[in-house]
Amino acid sequence: MLHRTTWESPYRKYTMINGEERRNPQRNQIDYLMVRKRNMKQVTNCRSYPHNNRLNSDHRPVILDINLKIQIYLSKKPTKIINFEQLREPDTRREYKEEVEKLMFPTASESEHTPQERWDKIKSANHLAAETTLGYKTKINKSGNKEIQKLSEEQKELHNKLNSEKDPQKREVIRKERNTKMNKIHQTLEEIKHKKIVEQIEEIEKTADDSYRMYKAVKTIANNEKRKPLLVEGENGLTSEEQEQTNIIAKYFQEMFSDQTIEEIRDIPPKEIIPPFSTKEVQDAIASLKNNKSPGGDGIRAEQLKYGGDTIASEVAKLLNDISKTGDYPAEIKERILIPLQKPGKKKGPPANLRPIILLSMVRKILAICLIRRIGDKIDGNIPVEQAAYRAGRGTTEHTFAYKILAEKAITSQDYTLYITLMDMSKAFGTVKRNTLIEDLTTILDPEELHLIKILVEDVRLKVRVGKETSDYFTTKMGVPQASNNNYKLEKEKSTAIHQLEQRGLQVNQAKTEEYIITRRGDDKWRKCKVLGSLLDTNEDIKRRKSLTMNAMRKLEHIFTNNRTRKRLKIRIFKACVESIFLYNSELWTVNKTTANKIDSFHRRMLRKAINNKWPRKISNEQLYNKTKHHQQKWSNIIKTRRIRWYGHLQRLPEKNTCQNIPTRGKKNN
């Protein structure tokens, strides 16, 4: 008790309430030291000490012993980041192209160039041209805009001048001039921000496919959010230290992708591809690459190759033909960078709850695109007509439609029972057996095409990157580069299907397997069955779409409530990022008059939020439509149009597809 109390009454003797005289002084614990919860384990001792009379205080000193791990950060040179945003300007593109072509010439004879030397030369020319013409981003000018940089320097000079001036009248003049510069900076930054938003919106608007547009909108909204720090389970609990995280994650994925029992891919000798890859093929492949994406191990961005001129495409075509002919290839084709991201809704900590995102080198992307476009028709001819995903002119909406029609038949027929089994592949593309994949393609593709596929998938080297820390490379023996899993519909017995999947390395996630039995007098569990992003029951699906729409509105609230954002731009953002989310697969809804009125009412409520019309300001429905009529129409009318378009798509589908072979009459136990 002596070392716990921190205050002692200055009067040793005083009379208590009952009239008795207290002998011992009154002591209390009223002084504390505060420590962060995360440092509590490092506290070794905390106590009060008797003080001497020289302190002239009735409080005792409190001392705490704590063992802190102090990290000493040495001053590092700031990381130089090339300002690729300058490539948006036409004049800068022209300068960059001229610089690349100048660095690419003169070229040596063909015999003096190996594939690695060719790619090194292309990389060097692009990097040097970027440094020369684009420059680096600065701390003052994060946006990379020269006008902002100039204004920032001018306002800084005025700020220093203001601090040194003593005359009040002159100070007022300088202050007004500086405020004008600051307003101009904020205005320019706002314009840059709007320009970036417009670019994102235009990318969504260019998409003709409604499903792809919806997923593009969700991705755009997610990219605008601040990412939470990654947490990984270490020896002493959750850790946020990047180097420790890198080691833990690298060990986990190395064990996952390095099954030594898997057979090696058989030898496929190199053979010159006929006809050779042309410059036009490479140009089309480069044009299909997306801008503003993180580079792979070679550090080359898509923008650099797009704006580097025809010389780049010509040299890359020669490189790809050399790879096919000789079997020699740049090391970057095999090297990939793994970026771990936390899976939404999963517990933080276990490495198994991380989603691996693979960054590929640019030379690997171009080779893969050119090869896929050549073998696409051969592969497509060997895929069953029932498979609609990842095929030109087809879509997963067809599968959802088949499920919904079958469910409706089951609940309206007397003797019709529908059994649905949805199976999820655990780490589907990460466990594919590469040797089995090559054997499956042997009867479809030519030897030279198989040889290039083997180069792309065999002995791939991965390294994990978390923040600024990276692991060593490790070789993988299984899996192909794909970052998403898919649900599969079983048409055979479950055990047979699982066996066939396991033969190719695909593992069924039993915990996520869903089974439903739909009958007229059965339960309503099937109504919340989610197939490829849609619920089978129309009313339940509309409720879910409303929830997702309001969530999107909340995340974009900073744009809709900003008075500086033009109304026309707000409506474009609403149409691209909000409307596309609500109307996903809406052509499959069974909509009557009551449902249509509810949809339109919800639409108007969201429109009012988009144009920031709040109480007490009131606006009638007619005025609302007049304000947005050039950009918006009723959602119920859009759904009608989509249903007609969907009907036309059904009529054009190939014969024997799933949608056109749904039984017209109920059959017992189908």
Side-chain angles (χ1 to χ4, degrees):
M1 218 30 215
L2 180 63
H3 300 302
R4 293 184 182 180
T5 58
T6 63
W7 175 82
E8 181 178 322
S9 173
Y11 306 101
R12 294 191 63 83
K13 293 183 180 181
Y14 61 92
T15 304
M16 294 186 292
I17 297 176
N18 57 8
E20 296 181 3
E21 190 176 273
R22 182 184 177 108
R23 296 184 179 181
N24 297 322
Q26 184 176 5
R27 299 183 179 92
N28 286 326
Q29 187 185 72
I30 60 176
D31 299 297
Y32 301 91
L33 291 174
M34 298 182 68
V35 180
R36 291 179 182 271
K37 187 175 180 180
R38 66 187 182 192
N39 299 123
M40 285 295 293
K41 293 181 180 180
Q42 297 169 334
V43 176
T44 58
N45 186 28
C46 183
R47 53 167 286 190
S48 63
Y49 291 85
H51 63 76
N52 52 34
N53 294 330
R54 288 180 296 177
L55 290 178
N56 193 24
S57 173
D58 53 2
H59 291 264
R60 293 182 177 182
V62 181
I63 300 176
L64 177 143
D65 297 333
I66 184 170
N67 293 329
L68 289 177
K69 296 180 181 179
I70 301 176
Q71 296 181 349
I72 301 175
Y73 295 93
L74 300 176
S75 59
K76 297 181 180 179
K77 293 182 179 180
T79 305
K80 291 185 177 181
I81 302 175
I82 294 177
N83 188 11
F84 288 104
E85 294 180 2
Q86 292 288 342
L87 285 173
R88 296 177 180 176
E89 304 296 332
D91 294 339
T92 308
R93 291 182 189 177
R94 186 180 63 256
E95 293 176 11
Y96 177 77
K97 178 182 177 181
E98 293 173 355
E99 186 67 22
V100 170
E101 291 179 345
K102 184 173 68 176
L103 292 169
M104 290 295 294
F105 288 101
T107 57
S109 62
E110 298 295 326
S111 60
E112 295 181 12
H113 281 298
T114 64
Q116 185 67 60
E117 291 171 344
R118 283 189 185 279
W119 185 241
D120 287 342
K121 185 174 183 179
I122 294 171
K123 285 195 305 179
S124 176
N126 279 277
H127 285 315
L128 290 175
E131 291 177 0
T132 305
T133 59
L134 307 181
Y136 296 96
K137 289 185 178 181
T138 61
K139 289 185 178 180
I140 298 175
N141 181 23
K142 292 182 179 180
S143 66
N145 188 282
K146 293 180 180 179
E147 183 182 357
I148 292 179
Q149 186 174 3
K150 182 181 177 182
L151 290 170
S152 298
E153 293 173 354
E154 290 175 355
Q155 73 85 15
K156 190 175 181 180
E157 291 178 2
L158 290 171
H159 179 69
N160 295 333
K161 190 176 179 181
L162 181 66
N163 291 337
S164 60
E165 184 60 57
K166 296 183 180 180
D167 187 355
Q169 294 181 350
K170 292 182 178 179
R171 283 176 60 87
E172 187 65 24
V173 173
I174 296 171
R175 185 180 289 107
K176 288 182 179 180
E177 187 178 356
R178 181 174 179 265
N179 289 342
T180 303
K181 301 286 184 185
M182 293 296 295
N183 290 335
K184 183 65 175 176
I185 290 174
H186 292 309
Q187 184 180 355
T188 308
L189 285 172
E190 198 72 24
E191 291 175 357
I192 292 172
K193 181 181 177 182
H194 285 181
K195 187 177 180 181
K196 187 176 180 181
I197 293 172
V198 169
E199 288 176 355
Q200 293 175 334
I201 298 306
E202 286 177 348
E203 189 176 354
I204 298 173
E205 290 174 341
K206 289 177 184 177
T207 307
D209 182 76
D210 294 325
S211 298
Y212 184 77
R213 181 181 297 180
M214 190 277 291
Y215 286 110
K216 192 74 179 176
V218 172
K219 188 176 181 181
T220 300
I221 294 172
N223 288 340
N224 293 332
E225 292 181 326
K226 291 184 178 179
R227 286 185 180 175
K228 296 180 180 179
L230 186 68
L231 296 175
V232 180
E233 217 168 53
E235 295 181 357
N236 300 319
L238 295 177
T239 177
S240 59
E241 204 275 317
E242 291 181 353
Q243 185 59 59
E244 186 178 357
Q245 288 180 343
T246 303
N247 296 335
I248 295 170
I249 296 170
K251 182 180 178 182
Y252 171 77
F253 283 108
Q254 185 174 7
E255 293 175 354
M256 178 190 298
F257 296 134
S258 302
D259 189 350
Q260 301 300 327
T261 62
I262 295 179
E263 298 178 5
E264 297 290 339
I265 300 176
R266 64 180 176 85
D267 183 51
I268 304 175
K271 186 177 180 181
E272 185 176 0
I273 193 165
I274 304 296
F277 290 111
S278 64
T279 302
K280 181 66 168 59
E281 280 184 278
V282 175
Q283 286 175 335
D284 293 342
I286 292 175
S288 68
L289 296 171
K290 297 178 182 178
N291 293 344
N292 302 320
K293 298 297 181 182
S294 299
D298 51 12
I300 298 292
R301 292 175 176 262
E303 300 93 315
Q304 293 176 265
L305 299 182
K306 285 183 180 181
Y307 308 133
D310 297 338
T311 307
I312 294 293
S314 176
E315 287 297 312
V316 173
K318 294 176 183 177
L319 166 64
L320 300 186
N321 291 323
D322 285 349
I323 294 173
S324 175
K325 184 177 180 179
T326 64
D328 191 13
Y329 49 82
E332 288 85 348
I333 281 186
K334 299 287 188 182
E335 295 173 354
R336 303 171 188 172
I337 301 174
L338 189 152
I339 308 294
L341 298 179
Q342 178 67 40
K343 291 182 180 179
K346 296 288 185 178
K347 180 183 177 182
K348 293 184 178 181
N353 292 343
L354 298 175
R355 175 175 287 118
I357 303 299
I358 307 296
L359 301 182
L360 305 173
S361 63
M362 202 56 63
V363 63
R364 197 246 180 234
K365 287 183 180 180
I366 297 172
L367 175 57
I369 293 171
C370 291
L371 185 59
I372 287 172
R373 289 181 175 179
R374 285 207 174 192
I375 67 176
D377 292 339
K378 297 179 182 179
I379 299 294
D380 193 68
N382 286 270
I383 298 176
V385 70
E386 294 84 5
Q387 175 63 33
Y390 311 111
R391 305 183 76 173
R394 307 287 300 278
T396 54
T397 305
E398 296 176 25
H399 292 315
T400 308
F401 174 77
Y403 277 104
K404 290 176 75 71
I405 294 298
L406 289 171
E408 288 181 8
K409 287 184 179 295
I411 62 174
T412 56
S413 302
Q414 291 287 351
D415 56 350
Y416 192 94
T417 303
L418 176 65
Y419 298 90
I420 297 178
T421 302
L422 299 176
M423 300 179 64
D424 183 86
M425 302 297 105
S426 180
K427 305 177 183 64
F429 294 93
T431 59
V432 170
K433 294 181 180 179
R434 297 169 181 170
N435 59 327
T436 307
L437 175 65
I438 295 293
E439 294 302 322
D440 289 342
L441 294 173
T442 302
T443 57
I444 303 173
L445 305 181
D446 297 329
E448 60 269 25
E449 296 165 342
L450 283 173
H451 169 249
L452 291 176
I453 290 178
K454 179 185 177 183
I455 289 176
L456 292 174
V457 302
E458 185 182 36
D459 293 334
V460 174
R461 301 174 67 222
L462 275 177
K463 70 175 178 181
V464 175
R465 185 172 76 192
V466 179
K468 296 182 179 180
E469 301 294 337
T470 56
S471 68
D472 296 330
Y473 277 107
F474 56 89
T475 304
T476 64
K477 298 292 183 182
M478 57 195 295
V480 291
Q482 177 59 262
S484 61
N485 298 335
N486 299 280
N487 289 330
Y488 292 84
K489 179 169 70 79
L490 293 185
E491 297 179 351
K492 300 180 180 180
E493 293 184 3
K494 183 177 177 181
S495 59
T496 306
I498 292 176
H499 176 70
Q500 292 178 349
L501 293 170
E502 289 178 347
Q503 283 182 332
R504 282 158 177 78
L506 296 173
Q507 302 172 4
V508 177
N509 189 339
Q510 298 289 352
K512 292 186 178 180
T513 298
E514 300 177 21
E515 296 182 352
Y516 299 92
I517 301 176
I518 306 177
T519 60
R520 185 172 183 176
R521 295 179 178 83
D523 57 31
D524 291 339
K525 181 182 176 183
W526 66 271
R527 295 184 183 276
K528 294 188 177 181
C529 170
K530 185 163 64 174
V531 178
L532 301 168
S534 296
L535 300 182
L536 292 186
D537 182 68
T538 295
N539 292 330
E540 293 294 335
D541 195 28
I542 292 175
K543 287 180 184 178
R544 180 171 178 271
R545 287 287 131 194
K546 285 182 178 180
S547 176
L548 295 174
T549 302
M550 289 188 289
N551 189 36
M553 289 290 295
R554 179 182 58 79
K555 292 179 179 178
L556 295 171
E557 188 177 7
H558 64 286
I559 296 176
F560 295 137
T561 57
N562 188 350
N563 293 328
R564 292 185 178 182
T565 306
R566 295 181 292 274
K567 183 179 68 177
R568 184 176 180 180
L569 178 58
K570 288 181 180 180
I571 298 301
R572 285 185 66 186
I573 296 170
F574 176 83
K575 191 175 180 64
C577 295
V578 178
E579 181 180 286
S580 57
I581 291 176
F582 180 80
L583 295 178
Y584 172 69
N585 276 354
S586 59
E587 59 268 29
L588 306 182
W589 292 345
T590 304
V591 180
N592 53 27
K593 187 176 180 179
T594 303
T595 306
N597 290 336
K598 290 181 179 179
I599 290 173
D600 289 337
S601 175
F602 177 74
H603 178 207
R604 291 191 292 268
R605 182 151 58 97
M606 294 298 103
L607 268 180
R608 285 182 169 87
K609 288 186 177 182
I611 63 175
N612 200 25
N613 185 270
K614 298 180 179 179
W615 189 88
R617 289 182 296 170
K618 292 184 179 181
I619 181 174
S620 66
N621 294 341
E622 185 178 354
Q623 290 174 325
L624 178 66
Y625 286 130
N626 287 334
K627 277 190 173 184
T628 60
K629 63 181 178 181
H630 297 295
H631 308 281
Q632 279 286 298
Q633 56 177 313
K634 291 183 179 181
W635 279 352
S636 59
N637 293 337
I638 295 176
I639 294 173
K640 291 178 183 178
T641 305
R642 289 190 175 192
R643 287 177 67 84
I644 296 172
R645 188 174 62 200
W646 170 247
Y647 178 75
H649 175 76
L650 286 177
Q651 298 303 311
R652 293 187 295 270
L653 284 176
E655 296 181 0
K656 298 182 180 180
N657 68 83
T658 306
C659 295
Q660 292 184 349
N661 283 274
I662 297 174
T664 56
R665 290 186 179 181
K667 229 178 185 182
K668 192 173 182 179
N669 292 336
N670 276 330

